[in-house]
Amino acid sequence: MSSTEDNTTHGAVYDLVFRGQRVLTTAGIVPREVGVRDGVVIALEPFGNNLQGLEVIELADDETLIPGLVDSHVHINEPGRTDWEGFASATRAAAAGGVTTVIDMPLNSIPATTNVAALELKRSVALDQAFVDVGFWGGAIPGNKADLRPLHDDGVFGFKCFLLHSGVDEFPPLDADEMEVDMAELKSFDSIMIVHAEDSRAIDRAPTAEGDHYDKFLASRPRGAENLAIAEVIERARWTGARAHILHLSSSDALPMIASARRDGVRLTVETCPHYLTLMAEEIPNGGTAYKCCPPIREASNRELLWEGLQDGTIDCIVTDHSPSTLDLKDLENGDFAVAWGGVSSLQLGLSLIWSEARHRGIALEQVIKWMSTAPAELVGLHKKGKLAPGYDADFAVFAADDAFVVDVSKLKHKNPITPYDGRALSGVVRRTFLRGQEVDFVTPTGKLLRRGEITVERESLV
């Protein structure tokens, strides 16, 4: 319920005030009143203090005010492959799922974000279309070492590389020695290398994925390939002293060596994704190419160990790796896993997916938000995102944790109507999303483009 209050009331008047019994603060979920001015949280006071605002929102008894999610792994694909996704559709989907900040991957757009000119082109396309805040990763590919520092200076949050074919020819992989050279370069200005860690040699020697049987596809991307590549990342990070981040961890086998490396002081962080935490190979139907992603969704026993890795702190965060494509690229007619594009579309659903699974495991909503908001914000160095606290951006979602819905792919806001979650019953509904104190209306884009160091890109700078 919203109401407008007399702004002549004595005392401070805020642009917006939230009042509720359930506000997720750094002290947990507590009754609070939140005062917002100029898009920033200014006041966080006990419920009943009667903060005054030009607009006051009273939370319903079943609603929790949570900090907006930060998704640091999203493929938006514009320009160049805008039929796969685009800034307008992706950021609408993000906002509908309570995500208020996304960091866009340097591929599968054309051109890839591997030099400053490509970054500026992508920014110019994104500027008028963003419904949430958007930042950008740069890419590390063979031959672009000289572009890394200029990209860093122009505000990318770090650099992504592949250790095997990326799926698109314009973003070729590094070998381990090339990755080490680039890591040493990144160390000189304290940037971070984020790595798609699967070993190309192991994949080349694995069985073919041809056909519609999921078990054949799973065998074609063995855990060993992931484990080998992660071991390379660890050692090259150890030798160079650079920061490294393992993308979309799917192999639970790698958890002990990750934990060991961190104990040794290797500067290593790790993410995993909703599909590895909520799906299992045993339940994927033959021909179900909506489930295809790389590395693949593995067995139920592997999934349980990933949850343990989250709970013991070995895995830092959960992000979606939203990697959409057109329906025809998923080869739905034949269901051939060797042919279909690999990627899961889940940007709008991540919070509900993880909350549905976490609550059955007795994991609190506060912990889920740490994994999906606080930790990704810390990973990319966004010091005013990821928490509901004074001085932070007023990025919020109103979340009804006990409400439920059934996923209808035709009603999702991402561009192509395909997801492995179609028809799945989920707990937790995002009822409203606010970006810097302004409700996202899905009509007028109000998102800003972010640079490392939290400098926003204004329209004039791109003209």
Side-chain angles (χ1 to χ4, degrees):
M1 180 178 74
S2 299
S3 64
T4 301
E5 298 203 352
D6 183 0
N7 63 10
T8 64
T9 307
H10 292 297
V13 178
Y14 298 94
D15 300 331
L16 176 64
V17 169
F18 288 88
R19 297 180 185 144
Q21 294 295 320
R22 297 180 56 81
V23 176
L24 200 165
T25 71
T26 54
I29 296 176
V30 288
R32 285 291 185 269
E33 298 186 4
V34 183
V36 175
R37 187 179 295 129
D38 297 327
V40 176
V41 177
I42 301 297
L44 192 57
E45 298 191 7
F47 187 83
N49 277 18
N50 199 31
L51 293 182
Q52 301 299 297
L54 300 178
E55 182 182 8
V56 176
I57 295 175
E58 307 273 2
L59 298 174
D61 290 344
D62 69 337
E63 293 176 341
T64 305
L65 188 68
I66 63 173
L69 271 57
V70 176
D71 194 335
S72 57
H73 194 150
V74 179
H75 294 269
I76 295 178
N77 305 338
E78 188 176 11
R81 291 191 174 94
T82 312
D83 54 338
W84 295 20
E85 193 65 277
F87 285 100
S89 54
T91 57
R92 279 193 182 100
V99 178
T100 50
T101 303
V102 299
I103 312 296
D104 172 63
M105 283 291 166
L107 74 163
N108 304 301
S109 57
I110 302 173
T113 316
T114 54
N115 56 54
V116 168
L119 174 62
E120 292 302 324
L121 174 61
K122 186 173 279 194
R123 282 182 174 144
S124 70
V125 171
L127 189 61
D128 293 324
Q129 299 193 73
F131 287 85
V132 301
D133 286 356
V134 180
F136 301 93
W137 295 107
I141 62 172
N144 84 324
K145 178 184 173 185
D147 292 297
L148 302 181
R149 183 59 189 260
L151 278 164
H152 174 79
D153 291 343
D154 203 24
V156 299
F157 287 87
F159 296 88
K160 180 177 187 175
C161 74
F162 279 73
L163 290 176
L164 79 172
H165 194 281
S166 69
V168 293
D169 291 338
E170 67 273 5
F171 200 94
L174 301 176
D175 63 32
D177 290 340
E178 291 169 326
M179 178 179 67
E180 183 184 344
V181 169
D182 282 356
M183 280 182 166
E185 175 72 5
L186 299 189
K187 171 66 164 58
S188 71
F189 44 88
D190 198 31
S191 190
I192 186 170
M193 183 70 85
I194 65 174
V195 186
H196 181 122
E198 288 181 284
D199 184 83
S200 61
R201 298 159 299 175
I203 297 292
D204 288 344
R205 295 189 178 206
T208 176
E210 184 179 1
D212 65 355
H213 282 66
Y214 186 77
D215 58 351
K216 288 188 67 177
F217 170 64
L218 187 59
S220 77
R221 313 290 292 214
R223 297 185 196 204
E226 201 173 350
N227 303 335
L228 272 172
I230 290 170
E232 287 279 18
V233 173
I234 287 170
E235 295 314 309
R236 307 303 171 126
R238 189 193 309 274
W239 300 341
T240 61
R243 287 190 291 148
H245 177 75
I246 303 298
L247 296 166
H248 44 51
L249 178 70
S250 82
S251 172
S252 62
D253 295 351
L255 291 168
M257 66 174 161
I258 290 166
S260 175
R262 286 159 65 140
R263 285 193 298 269
D264 290 347
V266 176
R267 302 169 74 196
L268 185 69
T269 49
V270 184
E271 68 183 45
T272 192
C273 306
H275 37 281
Y276 303 128
L277 297 168
T278 64
L279 301 173
M280 58 188 102
E282 293 90 340
E283 294 183 353
I284 295 176
N286 290 334
T289 53
Y291 294 81
K292 179 182 175 180
C293 56
C294 300
I297 296 157
R298 303 192 189 278
E299 303 84 355
S301 57
N302 182 85
R303 182 183 72 168
E304 297 311 302
L305 291 170
L306 291 178
W307 276 102
E308 290 182 18
L310 278 162
Q311 291 179 272
D312 68 22
T314 306
I315 302 172
D316 299 275
C317 55
I318 304 171
V319 292
T320 61
D321 186 13
H322 178 70
S323 186
S325 72
T326 56
L327 298 183
D328 62 302
L329 286 173
K330 278 295 190 180
D331 193 41
L332 300 175
E333 184 175 344
N334 301 309
D336 188 336
F337 284 100
V339 172
W341 177 258
V344 171
S345 294
S346 59
L347 182 54
Q348 187 171 335
L349 301 171
L351 176 57
S352 299
L353 287 164
I354 294 302
W355 172 237
S356 298
E357 193 72 30
R359 69 186 310 184
H360 290 307
R361 299 166 181 274
I363 298 170
L365 180 61
E366 295 96 317
Q367 180 61 67
V368 169
I369 299 304
K370 286 179 181 176
W371 288 327
M372 302 190 77
S373 184
T374 311
E378 291 173 352
L379 169 69
V380 298
L382 287 172
H383 304 301
K384 293 184 179 180
K385 306 284 190 186
K387 294 180 183 178
L388 200 164
Y392 281 70
D393 288 347
D395 298 348
F396 310 131
V398 176
F399 187 60
D402 295 328
D403 206 349
F405 68 104
V406 175
V407 177
D408 180 346
V409 72
S410 68
K411 295 180 180 178
L412 298 178
K413 295 184 183 296
H414 65 246
K415 185 165 286 186
N416 287 284
I418 182 170
T419 180
Y421 303 108
D422 189 28
R424 192 179 181 100
L426 298 178
S427 297
V429 173
V430 175
R431 292 182 177 165
R432 305 171 75 175
T433 301
F434 293 80
L435 183 66
R436 286 183 303 279
Q438 183 174 348
E439 185 165 8
V440 178
D441 65 5
F442 302 98
V443 175
T444 304
T446 61
K448 293 186 177 182
L449 306 188
L450 305 176
R451 296 178 189 261
R452 179 190 46 79
E454 299 175 278
I455 306 163
T456 56
V457 182
E458 303 298 343
R459 186 183 317 277
E460 310 84 74
S461 68
L462 292 175
V463 174

